[in-house]
Amino acid sequence: VTIDGTTQTNYAGKPKVELNGSATPSGTHGLYIITSNCVVRGLAINRFRRDGIRIENHGGHVIAGNFIGTGIYGTNSAGNAEGGITVFTAGNVIGGTNPTNRNIISGSNLAGIYLLNAAATGNLVQGNYIGTDVTGTQRLGNITNGIVIANAQSNTIGGMAVGARNIISGNYQSGVYLTTSADGNLIAGNYIGTDFSGAVALSNAADGVTIFSSASNLIGGTNSAVRNVISGNGGRGVYLFGNGTTGNFIQGNYIGTVASGLAKLRNTSSGVDF
Protein backbone atom coordinates (compact mmCIF):
# COMPACT_ATOMS: atom_id res chain seq x y z
CA VAL A 1 0.00 0.00 0.00
CA THR A 2 1.32 3.44 -0.93
CA ILE A 3 -0.14 6.66 0.43
CA ASP A 4 1.71 9.48 -1.31
CA GLY A 5 0.64 13.03 -0.56
CA THR A 6 3.48 14.42 -2.67
CA THR A 7 1.46 13.66 -5.81
CA GLN A 8 -1.01 16.43 -4.95
CA THR A 9 -1.17 19.48 -7.22
CA ASN A 10 1.24 22.24 -6.21
CA TYR A 11 3.03 20.11 -3.64
CA ALA A 12 6.28 21.93 -2.81
CA GLY A 13 7.78 20.17 0.18
CA LYS A 14 4.96 20.80 2.63
CA PRO A 15 1.93 18.51 2.98
CA LYS A 16 -1.26 19.23 1.09
CA VAL A 17 -3.04 16.32 2.80
CA GLU A 18 -3.72 16.56 6.54
CA LEU A 19 -5.05 13.81 8.82
CA ASN A 20 -6.48 15.76 11.76
CA GLY A 21 -7.58 13.62 14.70
CA SER A 22 -9.06 16.35 16.87
CA ALA A 23 -12.62 15.04 16.41
CA THR A 24 -11.80 11.31 16.62
CA PRO A 25 -12.75 9.08 19.58
CA SER A 26 -10.29 7.92 22.23
CA GLY A 27 -8.03 5.06 21.20
CA THR A 28 -7.58 6.34 17.66
CA HIS A 29 -4.23 6.32 15.80
CA GLY A 30 -3.59 8.48 12.77
CA LEU A 31 -2.45 5.48 10.71
CA TYR A 32 -2.47 1.95 12.11
CA ILE A 33 -0.34 -0.27 9.85
CA ILE A 34 -0.53 -4.04 10.29
CA THR A 35 0.38 -5.26 6.80
CA SER A 36 3.87 -5.18 5.20
CA ASN A 37 5.92 -3.02 2.82
CA CYS A 38 3.84 0.14 2.87
CA VAL A 39 4.97 3.64 1.89
CA VAL A 40 3.59 6.70 3.68
CA ARG A 41 4.80 9.98 2.25
CA GLY A 42 3.91 13.65 2.30
CA LEU A 43 1.17 13.76 4.96
CA ALA A 44 0.53 15.93 8.00
CA ILE A 45 -0.70 13.68 10.83
CA ASN A 46 -1.71 15.43 14.00
CA ARG A 47 -4.02 15.65 17.02
CA PHE A 48 -4.87 11.93 17.24
CA ARG A 49 -5.75 10.40 20.60
CA ARG A 50 -2.95 7.83 20.43
CA ASP A 51 0.00 7.53 18.01
CA GLY A 52 0.43 9.47 14.80
CA ILE A 53 1.61 6.25 13.09
CA ARG A 54 1.66 2.83 14.74
CA ILE A 55 3.32 -0.16 13.04
CA GLU A 56 2.59 -3.70 14.23
CA ASN A 57 2.80 -7.30 12.97
CA HIS A 58 4.78 -6.72 9.77
CA GLY A 59 7.68 -4.50 8.72
CA GLY A 60 9.49 -3.23 5.67
CA HIS A 61 7.73 0.14 5.60
CA VAL A 62 9.00 3.53 4.44
CA ILE A 63 7.78 6.59 6.35
CA ALA A 64 9.14 9.68 4.62
CA GLY A 65 8.46 13.36 4.13
CA ASN A 66 5.68 13.61 6.71
CA PHE A 67 4.91 16.26 9.32
CA ILE A 68 3.86 14.29 12.39
CA GLY A 69 2.60 16.35 15.32
CA THR A 70 2.69 19.71 13.53
CA GLY A 71 0.43 21.60 11.17
CA ILE A 72 0.90 21.60 7.42
CA TYR A 73 3.56 24.32 7.54
CA GLY A 74 5.66 22.54 10.18
CA THR A 75 5.85 25.62 12.38
CA ASN A 76 3.22 24.96 15.08
CA SER A 77 2.76 22.15 17.55
CA ALA A 78 -0.30 19.95 16.96
CA GLY A 79 0.81 16.88 18.84
CA ASN A 80 -0.58 13.38 18.91
CA ALA A 81 -1.53 12.19 22.38
CA GLU A 82 0.99 9.33 22.56
CA GLY A 83 3.98 8.76 20.24
CA GLY A 84 4.67 10.36 16.92
CA ILE A 85 5.70 7.00 15.37
CA THR A 86 5.60 3.74 17.35
CA VAL A 87 7.25 0.66 15.82
CA PHE A 88 7.04 -2.99 16.92
CA THR A 89 8.47 -4.55 13.74
CA ALA A 90 11.70 -4.93 11.74
CA GLY A 91 13.29 -3.38 8.69
CA ASN A 92 11.44 -0.08 8.55
CA VAL A 93 12.94 3.16 7.24
CA ILE A 94 11.87 6.38 8.94
CA GLY A 95 13.15 9.28 6.87
CA GLY A 96 16.09 8.87 4.51
CA THR A 97 19.27 10.54 3.32
CA ASN A 98 17.59 12.87 0.81
CA PRO A 99 16.07 16.00 2.43
CA THR A 100 12.79 15.28 0.63
CA ASN A 101 12.46 12.21 2.85
CA ARG A 102 12.81 14.14 6.11
CA ASN A 103 10.02 13.69 8.62
CA ILE A 104 9.26 16.39 11.17
CA ILE A 105 8.32 14.42 14.33
CA SER A 106 7.45 16.86 17.06
CA GLY A 107 4.88 17.94 19.62
CA SER A 108 3.92 14.45 20.81
CA ASN A 109 2.54 14.11 24.33
CA LEU A 110 4.99 11.24 24.81
CA ALA A 111 8.10 10.46 22.69
CA GLY A 112 8.69 11.33 19.06
CA ILE A 113 9.69 7.78 18.01
CA TYR A 114 9.40 4.48 19.87
CA LEU A 115 11.18 1.30 18.78
CA LEU A 116 9.72 -1.32 21.09
CA ASN A 117 10.39 -4.98 21.87
CA ALA A 118 12.63 -7.65 20.37
CA ALA A 119 10.89 -7.76 16.98
CA ALA A 120 11.81 -4.10 16.36
CA THR A 121 15.25 -4.73 14.87
CA GLY A 122 17.13 -3.48 11.83
CA ASN A 123 15.19 -0.23 11.64
CA LEU A 124 16.76 2.91 10.12
CA VAL A 125 15.93 6.38 11.48
CA GLN A 126 17.68 8.89 9.24
CA GLY A 127 17.51 12.54 8.23
CA ASN A 128 14.64 13.58 10.49
CA TYR A 129 13.97 16.62 12.67
CA ILE A 130 12.75 15.27 16.01
CA GLY A 131 11.56 17.91 18.46
CA THR A 132 12.02 20.95 16.21
CA ASP A 133 10.05 22.86 13.63
CA VAL A 134 10.58 22.50 9.88
CA THR A 135 13.51 24.93 9.90
CA GLY A 136 15.42 22.97 12.53
CA THR A 137 15.86 26.16 14.57
CA GLN A 138 12.79 26.33 16.84
CA ARG A 139 11.61 24.07 19.64
CA LEU A 140 8.45 22.02 19.06
CA GLY A 141 9.52 19.44 21.60
CA ASN A 142 8.07 16.03 22.23
CA ILE A 143 6.93 16.06 25.84
CA THR A 144 9.14 13.13 26.89
CA ASN A 145 12.11 11.90 24.82
CA GLY A 146 12.99 12.39 21.19
CA ILE A 147 13.60 8.67 20.52
CA VAL A 148 13.04 5.72 22.87
CA ILE A 149 14.53 2.30 22.10
CA ALA A 150 13.25 -0.28 24.60
CA ASN A 151 14.17 -3.99 24.49
CA ALA A 152 14.95 -3.54 20.79
CA GLN A 153 18.28 -4.44 19.21
CA SER A 154 20.46 -3.59 16.19
CA ASN A 155 18.73 -0.42 15.06
CA THR A 156 20.49 2.56 13.47
CA ILE A 157 19.80 6.17 14.39
CA GLY A 158 21.62 8.32 11.82
CA GLY A 159 24.48 6.98 9.70
CA MET A 160 27.64 7.91 7.80
CA ALA A 161 26.11 10.08 5.08
CA VAL A 162 25.55 13.75 5.93
CA GLY A 163 21.95 13.33 4.83
CA ALA A 164 21.45 10.58 7.42
CA ARG A 165 21.89 13.07 10.27
CA ASN A 166 18.92 13.44 12.58
CA ILE A 167 18.44 16.67 14.51
CA ILE A 168 17.18 15.41 17.89
CA SER A 169 16.67 18.56 19.90
CA GLY A 170 14.15 20.60 21.84
CA ASN A 171 12.59 17.62 23.60
CA TYR A 172 11.49 17.84 27.22
CA GLN A 173 13.42 14.81 28.46
CA SER A 174 16.39 13.12 26.74
CA GLY A 175 17.22 13.25 23.06
CA VAL A 176 17.72 9.47 22.79
CA TYR A 177 16.80 7.04 25.59
CA LEU A 178 17.91 3.41 25.39
CA THR A 179 16.34 1.22 28.06
CA THR A 180 15.95 -2.37 29.24
CA SER A 181 18.01 -4.59 26.93
CA ALA A 182 18.17 -2.10 24.08
CA ASP A 183 21.39 -3.76 22.94
CA GLY A 184 23.65 -3.42 19.91
CA ASN A 185 22.16 -0.21 18.54
CA LEU A 186 24.12 2.43 16.59
CA ILE A 187 23.72 6.17 17.25
CA ALA A 188 25.83 7.90 14.60
CA GLY A 189 26.25 11.26 12.90
CA ASN A 190 23.45 13.10 14.71
CA TYR A 191 23.12 16.55 16.23
CA ILE A 192 21.62 16.03 19.68
CA GLY A 193 20.82 19.22 21.58
CA THR A 194 21.65 21.74 18.84
CA ASP A 195 19.82 23.27 15.92
CA PHE A 196 20.44 22.13 12.35
CA SER A 197 23.68 24.13 12.12
CA GLY A 198 25.30 22.39 15.07
CA ALA A 199 26.35 25.80 16.38
CA VAL A 200 23.35 26.94 18.44
CA ALA A 201 21.89 25.19 21.48
CA LEU A 202 18.37 23.83 21.13
CA SER A 203 18.42 21.86 24.32
CA ASN A 204 16.87 18.58 25.21
CA ALA A 205 15.84 19.29 28.79
CA ALA A 206 17.54 16.18 30.22
CA ASP A 207 20.46 14.24 28.71
CA GLY A 208 21.57 14.07 25.12
CA VAL A 209 21.78 10.25 25.23
CA THR A 210 20.65 8.12 28.19
CA ILE A 211 21.50 4.40 28.37
CA PHE A 212 19.80 2.31 31.07
CA SER A 213 20.33 -1.44 31.55
CA SER A 214 21.46 -1.90 27.95
CA ALA A 215 24.66 -3.30 26.47
CA SER A 216 26.97 -3.14 23.46
CA ASN A 217 25.63 0.05 21.92
CA LEU A 218 27.90 2.26 19.82
CA ILE A 219 27.58 6.03 20.18
CA GLY A 220 29.68 7.50 17.36
CA GLY A 221 32.67 5.56 16.07
CA THR A 222 36.25 5.91 14.89
CA ASN A 223 35.33 7.45 11.52
CA SER A 224 34.63 11.20 11.66
CA ALA A 225 31.58 10.66 9.43
CA VAL A 226 29.74 8.98 12.30
CA ARG A 227 30.58 11.65 14.88
CA ASN A 228 27.63 12.82 16.96
CA VAL A 229 27.51 16.37 18.27
CA ILE A 230 25.98 16.07 21.74
CA SER A 231 25.90 19.57 23.12
CA GLY A 232 23.71 22.22 24.69
CA ASN A 233 21.57 19.78 26.65
CA GLY A 234 19.97 20.53 30.01
CA GLY A 235 21.54 17.50 31.73
CA ARG A 236 24.50 15.35 30.77
CA GLY A 237 25.83 14.74 27.31
CA VAL A 238 25.75 10.94 27.75
CA TYR A 239 24.53 9.14 30.88
CA LEU A 240 24.95 5.39 31.44
CA PHE A 241 23.47 3.61 34.46
CA GLY A 242 21.66 0.49 35.65
CA ASN A 243 22.47 -3.20 35.91
CA GLY A 244 23.63 -4.73 32.64
CA THR A 245 24.88 -1.47 31.18
CA THR A 246 28.10 -2.99 29.87
CA GLY A 247 30.20 -3.01 26.71
CA ASN A 248 28.93 0.31 25.37
CA PHE A 249 31.34 2.38 23.26
CA ILE A 250 31.33 6.19 23.11
CA GLN A 251 33.78 7.12 20.39
CA GLY A 252 34.74 10.10 18.26
CA ASN A 253 31.95 12.43 19.37
CA TYR A 254 32.00 16.17 20.07
CA ILE A 255 30.38 16.51 23.49
CA GLY A 256 29.97 20.07 24.74
CA THR A 257 31.23 21.82 21.60
CA VAL A 258 29.81 23.16 18.37
CA ALA A 259 29.94 20.94 15.29
CA SER A 260 33.32 22.32 14.24
CA GLY A 261 34.78 21.46 17.63
CA LEU A 262 36.26 24.96 17.83
CA ALA A 263 33.96 26.57 20.39
CA LYS A 264 32.17 25.47 23.52
CA LEU A 265 28.46 24.66 23.63
CA ARG A 266 28.12 23.22 27.06
CA ASN A 267 25.83 20.60 28.41
CA THR A 268 24.59 21.80 31.79
CA SER A 269 25.98 18.80 33.66
CA SER A 270 28.69 16.23 32.87
CA GLY A 271 29.90 15.42 29.38
CA VAL A 272 29.80 11.68 30.10
CA ASP A 273 28.54 10.23 33.39
CA PHE A 274 28.46 6.56 34.39
Side-chain angles (χ1 to χ4, degrees):
V1 175
T2 296
I3 304 173
D4 189 353
T6 70
T7 61
Q8 296 299 298
T9 302
N10 297 324
Y11 175 83
K14 293 183 172 63
K16 296 291 185 180
V17 178
E18 179 179 11
L19 306 184
N20 183 325
S22 58
T24 58
S26 60
T28 305
H29 304 291
L31 291 175
Y32 184 30
I33 301 173
I34 56 174
T35 184
S36 60
N37 301 317
C38 296
V39 176
V40 178
R41 185 182 297 277
L43 307 180
I45 304 173
N46 54 51
R47 300 181 176 91
F48 283 89
R49 306 306 173 92
R50 294 198 67 188
D51 299 319
I53 298 176
R54 188 177 184 92
I55 298 172
E56 294 185 5
N57 298 343
H58 301 282
H61 307 293
V62 176
I63 310 297
N66 303 287
F67 289 8
I68 300 172
T70 79
I72 60 173
Y73 298 107
T75 56
N76 66 297
S77 181
N80 297 288
E82 294 187 1
I85 302 173
T86 297
V87 177
F88 291 90
T89 65
N92 303 288
V93 178
I94 299 174
T97 58
N98 189 308
T100 61
N101 293 325
R102 176 181 301 136
N103 298 291
I104 311 301
I105 308 169
S106 300
S108 303
N109 283 359
L110 295 176
I113 297 174
Y114 287 99
L115 305 178
L116 299 178
N117 299 333
T121 185
N123 294 291
L124 296 178
V125 179
Q126 297 184 320
N128 305 288
Y129 286 0
I130 303 169
T132 82
D133 72 345
V134 69
T135 69
T137 64
Q138 302 297 315
R139 180 191 307 273
L140 290 182
N142 297 289
I143 297 302
T144 64
N145 305 287
I147 299 174
V148 174
I149 305 176
N151 191 31
Q153 294 81 42
S154 301
N155 298 286
T156 298
I157 310 300
M160 291 188 68
V162 172
R165 176 184 301 139
N166 299 289
I167 309 302
I168 310 171
S169 301
N171 300 290
Y172 288 92
Q173 293 185 16
S174 293
V176 181
Y177 199 109
L178 284 70
T179 182
T180 316
S181 299
D183 301 336
N185 298 287
L186 173 62
I187 314 297
N190 305 289
Y191 288 179
I192 303 175
T194 80
D195 73 353
F196 81 99
S197 72
V200 178
L202 192 58
S203 305
N204 296 294
D207 308 318
V209 178
T210 305
I211 302 176
F212 171 73
S213 294
S214 300
S216 302
N217 297 286
L218 177 56
I219 313 301
T222 57
N223 188 316
S224 62
V226 295
R227 173 184 299 135
N228 298 288
V229 176
I230 308 174
S231 302
N233 295 289
R236 310 159 184 89
V238 181
Y239 181 37
L240 303 91
F241 71 112
N243 293 334
T245 302
T246 61
N248 296 286
F249 283 82
I250 302 166
Q251 296 179 322
N253 304 289
Y254 284 175
I255 301 176
T257 78
V258 299
S260 69
L262 298 177
K264 63 188 178 183
L265 192 62
R266 293 173 177 166
N267 298 291
T268 299
S269 188
S270 309
V272 179
D273 189 355
F274 55 93

